[in-house]
Every structure is written in structure tokens, then in C-alpha cells.
Amino acid sequence: QVCHGLRTPQLPVWLCSLSGRHGVLFGTDSRLLSDWKTERVFHLYFYNGQREQTKTAHLTIDTHSHPWEQEPCEDPSSPGKRRPPVEMAIRTKWAGATVSWNGTDPFF
């Protein structure tokens, strides 16, 4: 028997396997689970426990960004414009969202 709290988390949590590494993507706002209006701009945190990650990455997700706000020559498929796997994982739930790393260097 699985505890009710494990079947219905109180905070949004995703276990991720990205490029062969495991990590946790989580939020601290419980409204993200039940109120679609909170999905406009919100914060998520990512931690993978690897030696090169010295602190939890604080990410700001904007699901209502506009294509004209991007760099004019930006082509996500070009080799110089690769995106970190955690950003691509976030976009599987929120397609087209922009991810701000808030001063943390994006890691692959």
C-alpha cells in the first residue's frame, strides 16, 4: 500500500534522467499543481548532486514568452545554440517556455 502523500505530492517534484545523470527538478509553490494561472511565470529548482554543481540551480520559467523576444539568429538546432538537457525536459511540459538561469552558468 502506497501512502496517500506519495501518490499525491504537496509540491511539484520531477525525478529526471538527463544525459545519463539523475537529478531532481522541483518547485516550492504548491499552487503549481492545481492552479493553471500560476504557470505564467514561476520558479523551479534543479539539483543533480554532481561535483560540478555547487548549489541548487534556481530557474525562472516563463511560459508566455514571445518568439520576437528571442535573438534574431537563434536556431536551437545549430551546434552553437545547444540547450541544456534540463531546459529541454522543462519544455516537454511547457512547450516554448523560456528558462532563465538567474546568474547560474547553465550546465550540460
Side-chain angles (χ1 to χ4, degrees):
Q1 183 80 20
V2 176
C3 171
H4 174 73
L6 291 176
R7 288 181 284 157
T8 309
Q10 294 179 359
L11 294 172
V13 176
W14 295 272
L15 299 176
C16 306
S17 177
L18 306 167
S19 301
R21 294 181 176 184
H22 295 88
V24 178
L25 184 64
F26 63 96
T28 57
D29 186 354
S30 62
R31 294 177 303 159
L32 194 56
L33 293 170
S34 59
D35 185 3
W36 62 269
K37 291 178 264 183
T38 60
E39 292 186 11
R40 166 72 171 85
V41 175
F42 56 95
H43 303 279
L44 293 178
Y45 301 88
F46 182 73
Y47 183 74
N48 66 5
Q50 299 297 317
R51 213 173 313 140
E52 63 271 8
Q53 186 179 4
T54 58
K55 65 179 185 172
T56 302
H58 173 212
L59 309 172
T60 301
I61 316 302
D62 183 353
T63 60
H64 286 78
S65 59
H66 302 286
W68 57 85
E69 293 175 346
Q70 297 175 356
E71 296 176 30
C73 300
E74 186 173 4
D75 179 8
S77 63
S78 70
K81 293 291 184 183
R82 290 184 55 203
R83 298 288 183 213
V86 69
E87 286 188 28
M88 300 310 292
I90 289 168
R91 289 189 183 114
T92 63
K93 177 146 176 69
W94 295 284
T98 58
V99 179
S100 169
W101 286 74
N102 298 311
T104 302
D105 289 331
F107 45 87
F108 289 84

